[in-house]
Amino acid sequence: MFKRWALNIVTLLVLMSFSLGLTAATLAIKIEGVSKDQVENIRSMLSLAPLEGKEIASLSRVRYLYAKADDEIHKALQPFGLYRPKISSQFVEESDHWLAHFKIEPGELLPIGFLDIQLKGEALQDDAFNSVLLRTPLRTGSPLVHGVYEGLKKQLRSLAAERGYYQGEFTEHRVEVDLLSYQARITLHYDSGPRFRIGDIVFTDSPLADDFLMRYVPFKRGDPVQNKSLLNLQEALVDSDYFQQVEVRPRWDKATEADVPIEVMLNAQKRTKYSAGFGYGTDTGARMTLGMTRRWVNKRGHQFNTQLRASQIRSNLAAEYVIPGLRPQQDRYAVNLSLNEEHSDNVDNSNLYLGTSWQKQQGRWRQVAALGWQQEEFKIGNETTQSTFLIPRISFSTVSTQDRLNVKNGYRLTLQALGGADQLLSDTNFIQLKFGAKTVHSIASKWRVLGRIDVGTTFVDDFDKLPVSQRFFAGGDSSVRGYEYQSLSPKDADGEIMGGQNLLVGSLEIDYRFKGNWGVAAFIDSGSAFKDIQANLSTGVGVGLRWFSPIGPVRIDIAVPQSGDKNGIRLHLNLGPDL
């Protein structure tokens, strides 16, 4: 009796130790001989895969799933055209885990022996469909890859939806595999049906006239229904700022034969928008902005904007009346009135400006042509001068970046030409050319390089009559850091800043985002405004702290001048997008 009881105890202990050893073992899977994509597909179909890396609770269950692996691997390789793989497998116990090891010889790819692709309906005359069929890699004799076959089907469906074949369908679509002859047979017949066309274009109630809204429409009655065109109309109306919600949809329930009415559902914005802002910059001191926008003045979509910008140094009151052009999303006309004053240690002036402008968006480039009458009173030293000019101006500008508030890579370019003639309401003849460029380039995930250059030159008969607003100055937050705002300029006999005919400013900066939205920067700026062709450039170097806020980077810079007062250290604070 005692011996039987002792034998049972020993047997129980052995079973417990075996169970504890098994529980501690884990499963590992190793697959060799096929590509990375094929391995991923095999793992997605292996019943064993979810158990990998986990402790084995039931060895018999694992062995059962391992026995299914051969069939699962065969099925996983078939989408790649591999129907005769050779698989050798082992399931062995190693030091601390069980290993399911699969060595695979992929074998010969299954060729396409028969291919029947047919296109029916109006799409037969559509070059876009014929181009897709010409480019497809499905060919007699080429390997069967199921992803290519399914990709062609997806392309045909997407193209049909994009180009207005809304009754298109596959009348036959099948892939047959003959393992005896080791060939595939593909049959793919697509009937597009009729191509639907634009019918009546109907706008729901809005504060704007229908004939004005039609200027935004990039298609006309009788054009094919295309998703891209409908989305372009929706985006253009949203971007117009007249509407807070726009939906453009074909009314299939009201289609007559192949003509489909297009309904544009509009939900208008509030007619008047008010804005306010407060900030601080070392160039301007404390500043405030108040604005009012009348989104539409009348049913023709005319707009009115007025804005007051006030700071310790500069103040501006501006009003603008905007008239949309024939293509409102691309061109517009405006009448502008502004009162400007600037009173700093180096510049003292006030001017009145009245002008008209035409703005056109040509691809990525914004083009502006303007003509303005300007009357200005400015003070240089102890002498006060009044000037009157009629100034034509033309400018081209572009900004390229994915996100202007968080720039990884991008650039900004600006070109401008303006002038005046003493025979056309101007006090003297002058021509001025300006060029500005800035680039941002990421060299790693946390490092960026920023470069900037500003160049300007003026040809003028009598420089003393040229208003301060048309003279060049350098120094300050967005110019040469380390120097006071607009302090780099030629001086008169009394040592008073007088502005220059020419400008050359360059900057190179590198920043590093060390944690979240915080970064540090190091920079060197150099430049000046000057009268003659020989420039005496001033250079500033420094370091800065960056906070990449939701409304753009906040920059705090400490800069040291390398000429003039070399012992001076200036603090610069600035807020705004990099481009």
Side-chain angles (χ1 to χ4, degrees), residues 55-75:
E55 294 181 355
I56 296 176
S58 169
L59 186 59
S60 61
R61 172 66 178 170
V62 174
R63 290 188 181 278
Y64 168 73
L65 297 177
Y66 168 75
K68 297 173 62 179
D70 192 82
D71 287 341
E72 292 170 342
I73 292 173
H74 274 83
K75 291 178 182 178

Side-chain angles (χ1 to χ4, degrees), residues 16-87:
M16 287 179 63
S17 63
F18 178 77
S19 176
L20 289 171
L22 181 61
T23 302
T26 58
L27 174 67
I29 299 173
K30 186 176 182 180
I31 302 171
E32 294 180 317
V34 290
S35 69
K36 182 179 178 181
D37 290 341
Q38 291 163 358
V39 168
E40 289 180 1
N41 202 49
I42 290 171
R43 286 184 175 276
S44 71
M45 298 188 70
L46 272 181
S47 300
L48 274 176
L51 302 180
E52 185 175 17
K54 298 179 180 179
E55 294 181 355
I56 296 176
S58 169
L59 186 59
S60 61
R61 172 66 178 170
V62 174
R63 290 188 181 278
Y64 168 73
L65 297 177
Y66 168 75
K68 297 173 62 179
D70 192 82
D71 287 341
E72 292 170 342
I73 292 173
H74 274 83
K75 291 178 182 178
L77 291 176
Q78 288 176 6
F80 299 94
L82 300 172
Y83 282 80
R84 289 178 176 174
K86 294 181 179 179
I87 306 169

Side-chain angles (χ1 to χ4, degrees), residues 160-449:
E162 165 64 26
R163 298 182 66 80
Y165 300 91
Y166 289 95
Q167 291 181 351
E169 61 178 350
F170 289 101
T171 55
E172 290 187 64
H173 56 101
R174 61 181 179 272
V175 177
E176 299 170 307
V177 174
D178 185 347
L179 292 180
L180 290 178
S181 63
Y182 203 64
Q183 287 187 337
R185 297 174 57 88
I186 294 179
T187 302
L188 188 63
H189 296 175
Y190 185 78
D191 187 350
S192 70
R195 188 176 190 183
F196 286 85
R197 290 168 173 77
I198 301 291
D200 294 332
I201 302 169
V202 180
F203 297 93
T204 59
D205 289 340
S206 81
L208 302 172
D210 286 359
D211 57 348
F212 168 69
L213 294 174
M214 283 296 295
R215 297 189 203 171
Y216 285 91
V217 180
F219 46 79
K220 61 183 182 299
R221 183 184 177 90
D223 286 349
V225 177
Q226 299 190 63
N227 285 347
K228 185 177 180 180
S229 298
L230 301 181
L231 288 173
N232 286 344
L233 173 58
Q234 181 170 311
E235 290 174 1
L237 289 172
V238 170
D239 291 344
S240 71
D241 198 37
Y242 297 122
F243 308 102
Q244 60 180 332
Q245 187 175 1
V246 178
E247 183 180 355
V248 180
R249 59 175 184 172
R251 292 301 304 269
W252 301 108
D253 56 325
K254 296 184 178 180
T256 57
E257 297 182 352
D259 291 336
V260 183
I262 304 298
E263 184 179 57
V264 184
M265 302 181 66
L266 303 170
N267 186 3
Q269 295 266 28
K270 291 182 178 180
R271 187 172 188 178
T272 304
K273 176 176 68 175
Y274 300 95
S275 60
F278 302 90
Y280 181 85
T282 48
D283 284 353
T284 60
R287 57 178 180 248
M288 172 190 70
T289 302
L290 299 174
M292 185 275 287
T293 298
R294 195 76 162 168
R295 287 190 169 98
W296 64 88
V297 175
N298 52 34
K299 286 182 171 291
R300 311 304 302 168
H302 294 193
Q303 297 176 319
F304 177 73
N305 309 303
T306 183
Q307 188 175 70
L308 171 65
R309 296 177 179 175
S311 71
Q312 294 172 264
I313 293 177
R314 287 179 291 184
S315 297
N316 166 263
L317 177 61
E320 179 183 52
Y321 190 88
V322 178
I323 303 171
L326 291 177
R327 304 296 295 172
Q329 62 269 52
Q330 296 176 351
D331 66 321
R332 50 175 250 173
Y333 303 88
V335 178
N336 305 93
L337 173 66
S338 66
L339 300 170
N340 306 278
E341 287 196 359
E342 183 169 347
H343 304 287
S344 67
D345 293 340
N346 303 310
V347 174
D348 192 346
N349 79 311
S350 60
N351 71 52
L352 168 67
Y353 177 87
L354 176 63
T356 61
S357 64
W358 172 52
Q359 177 179 306
K360 182 177 178 62
Q361 191 72 31
Q362 192 73 29
R364 289 187 174 182
W365 286 90
R366 184 176 67 177
Q367 307 169 18
V368 178
L371 179 65
W373 176 82
Q374 174 181 300
Q375 187 176 70
E376 183 167 331
E377 181 176 287
F378 57 95
K379 184 178 180 181
I380 298 291
N382 295 320
E383 184 178 348
T384 300
T385 305
Q386 287 189 341
S387 68
T388 301
F389 280 83
L390 182 66
I391 302 176
R393 173 173 59 90
I394 185 168
S395 68
F396 300 87
S397 62
T398 182
V399 176
S400 176
T401 184
Q402 293 184 345
D403 184 354
R404 290 200 65 180
L405 296 180
N406 186 18
V407 179
K408 302 292 186 183
N409 294 282
Y411 62 86
R412 179 195 70 215
L413 296 173
T414 303
L415 301 96
Q416 183 172 265
L418 62 151
D422 56 11
Q423 296 180 348
L424 295 174
L425 303 179
S426 296
D427 287 348
T428 189
N429 298 312
F430 84 99
I431 295 175
Q432 188 173 91
L433 305 175
K434 300 178 183 179
F435 170 74
K438 187 173 183 181
T439 182
V440 179
H441 180 68
S442 294
I443 55 177
S445 60
K446 296 184 177 182
W447 291 89
R448 299 188 310 167
V449 175

